[in-house]
Amino acid sequence: MLEDGAAFLKRGDLNCAARRFARAAESAADGGDPAGFGRAQAQLAALEESRGEVDRAFEHNRLAQETFLAIGDGEALVQSFRVDGFLHVRRKEHTAAALGFAKALSLAIQLDGRLVLTTLDQVIPVAKYLAESDQLSALLPLGAALGRAVESPGPEQKREAREFAELAATVAGVFAPLGVLASEPHLPHAKRRRLAASSTHQAWHVDALTKRRWELAALVKETLQAKLSFHEELD
C-alpha cells in the first residue's frame, strides 16, 4: 500500500495517495508493525505539507516521530525533525523551525556523515528562502541553533562523522552574523565589517571544502550587497 501510495503521489493524484497511506497506517497498526505505521504517518505528513494542510501534517509527523523514537529508527527520526522545521517555516515560526533543523543535525552527527549532508542540503535552501523573503533576522536563531547542535557532540559521536560536524559548525557560522547585521541596524561600522568578514570567509571555506555544493559565498555576497547595503569588497 505504501508503494501504491507513492505511485499515485508521483502521478499527482494526492487523494488516492492519501487513501493508500491511511490504509497502510491502519493495516500496520492492526498488524503490530510499528515501523510500517511510522513510515505511513511520515508519508501522510509530507503529503499534507505539500497540500498546505500544515495542522494535519504536524499531527501525522508527531505520530511518526513518536513511533520512530520508540523503535529506535534514528535515520527516520532525523527526517521527521527536518519535516518539523519545514512545517514551522510554513507558519513563519522561524525560531521553532531553527530548533527542528538543529535537532535533526544533532542526531545526524551521532549517526553518519551522509545524514549530516542531507540535513544541510535542506537547511541551506531554507536560509536562502529567508534571505530572499527579507527575513534575514531569522538567520540569527537558525545559525545559533545549528551551532549549539554541533558544539557538544559527546563521546558517542562516530569518528567518521567528525569532519561533517566541523563542516556543519562552519555552515552555522555563516548565518548568525548575517542575522545580527539584519537585526541590529545601529551597529558601529567596524563591528559591521567584522561580522560581514566572518560570514564571508566562512562561506568561502564551506565552498572550498564542498566544491561549491551550496554556493554559500554567492548567497552571502548578494545578501550583504542587496539587503544590507554593504558595498565594500572584502579581501
Side-chain angles (χ1 to χ4, degrees), residues 148-166:
R148 286 194 297 272
V150 299
E151 66 185 8
S152 300
E156 68 276 18
Q157 182 191 34
K158 291 188 176 182
R159 183 182 301 275
E160 61 268 25
R162 288 178 186 168
E163 62 182 284
F164 295 98
E166 292 172 4

Side-chain angles (χ1 to χ4, degrees), residues 117-225:
L117 284 179
T118 304
T119 300
L120 293 177
D121 272 337
Q122 296 186 341
V123 168
I124 290 172
V126 169
K128 290 182 177 180
Y129 163 77
L130 293 174
E132 293 167 357
S133 304
D134 290 322
Q135 298 289 334
L136 278 173
S137 58
L139 293 182
L140 175 55
L142 179 60
L146 296 182
R148 286 194 297 272
V150 299
E151 66 185 8
S152 300
E156 68 276 18
Q157 182 191 34
K158 291 188 176 182
R159 183 182 301 275
E160 61 268 25
R162 288 178 186 168
E163 62 182 284
F164 295 98
E166 292 172 4
L167 173 63
T170 306
V171 170
V174 173
F175 300 142
L178 294 179
V180 174
L181 285 166
S183 57
E184 299 290 342
H186 304 300
L187 285 173
H189 175 74
K191 185 171 183 179
R192 180 176 291 273
R193 181 175 174 82
R194 285 196 300 272
L195 288 169
S198 174
S199 186
T200 303
H201 292 161
Q202 291 185 84
W204 285 344
H205 185 54
V206 171
D207 279 2
L209 288 175
T210 63
K211 298 181 179 179
R212 301 184 69 181
R213 181 185 183 104
W214 301 299
E215 295 189 348
L216 277 181
L219 169 67
V220 170
K221 182 178 180 181
E222 178 184 359
T223 300
L224 290 171
Q225 292 181 342

Side-chain angles (χ1 to χ4, degrees), residues 3-217:
E3 290 179 358
D4 285 348
F8 280 117
L9 192 60
K10 189 174 182 179
R11 293 199 293 267
D13 192 339
L14 301 185
N15 290 331
C16 283
R19 286 195 291 270
R20 289 298 192 281
F21 293 146
R23 285 179 58 194
E26 291 174 7
S27 177
D30 292 340
D33 176 15
F37 178 79
R39 288 196 299 271
Q41 292 295 337
Q43 290 278 30
L44 283 166
L47 186 149
E48 295 297 351
E49 191 273 338
S50 71
R51 294 203 284 201
E53 298 289 346
V54 176
D55 289 342
R56 291 182 183 175
F58 264 120
E59 180 59 21
H60 288 301
N61 199 46
R62 181 187 64 79
L63 292 172
Q65 272 185 27
E66 291 175 354
T67 303
F68 296 144
L69 184 61
I71 65 176
D73 190 338
E75 184 170 348
L77 196 55
V78 168
Q79 175 61 25
S80 186
F81 288 150
R82 293 197 301 247
V83 171
D84 260 354
F86 284 115
L87 291 174
H88 282 296
V89 169
R90 282 265 198 175
R91 286 181 170 175
K92 301 187 184 302
E93 298 167 347
H94 299 129
T95 298
L99 294 175
F101 289 124
K103 287 197 296 183
L105 185 60
S106 180
L107 180 56
I109 288 170
Q110 311 306 324
L111 298 173
D112 66 58
R114 177 182 56 83
L115 283 174
V116 175
L117 284 179
T118 304
T119 300
L120 293 177
D121 272 337
Q122 296 186 341
V123 168
I124 290 172
V126 169
K128 290 182 177 180
Y129 163 77
L130 293 174
E132 293 167 357
S133 304
D134 290 322
Q135 298 289 334
L136 278 173
S137 58
L139 293 182
L140 175 55
L142 179 60
L146 296 182
R148 286 194 297 272
V150 299
E151 66 185 8
S152 300
E156 68 276 18
Q157 182 191 34
K158 291 188 176 182
R159 183 182 301 275
E160 61 268 25
R162 288 178 186 168
E163 62 182 284
F164 295 98
E166 292 172 4
L167 173 63
T170 306
V171 170
V174 173
F175 300 142
L178 294 179
V180 174
L181 285 166
S183 57
E184 299 290 342
H186 304 300
L187 285 173
H189 175 74
K191 185 171 183 179
R192 180 176 291 273
R193 181 175 174 82
R194 285 196 300 272
L195 288 169
S198 174
S199 186
T200 303
H201 292 161
Q202 291 185 84
W204 285 344
H205 185 54
V206 171
D207 279 2
L209 288 175
T210 63
K211 298 181 179 179
R212 301 184 69 181
R213 181 185 183 104
W214 301 299
E215 295 189 348
L216 277 181

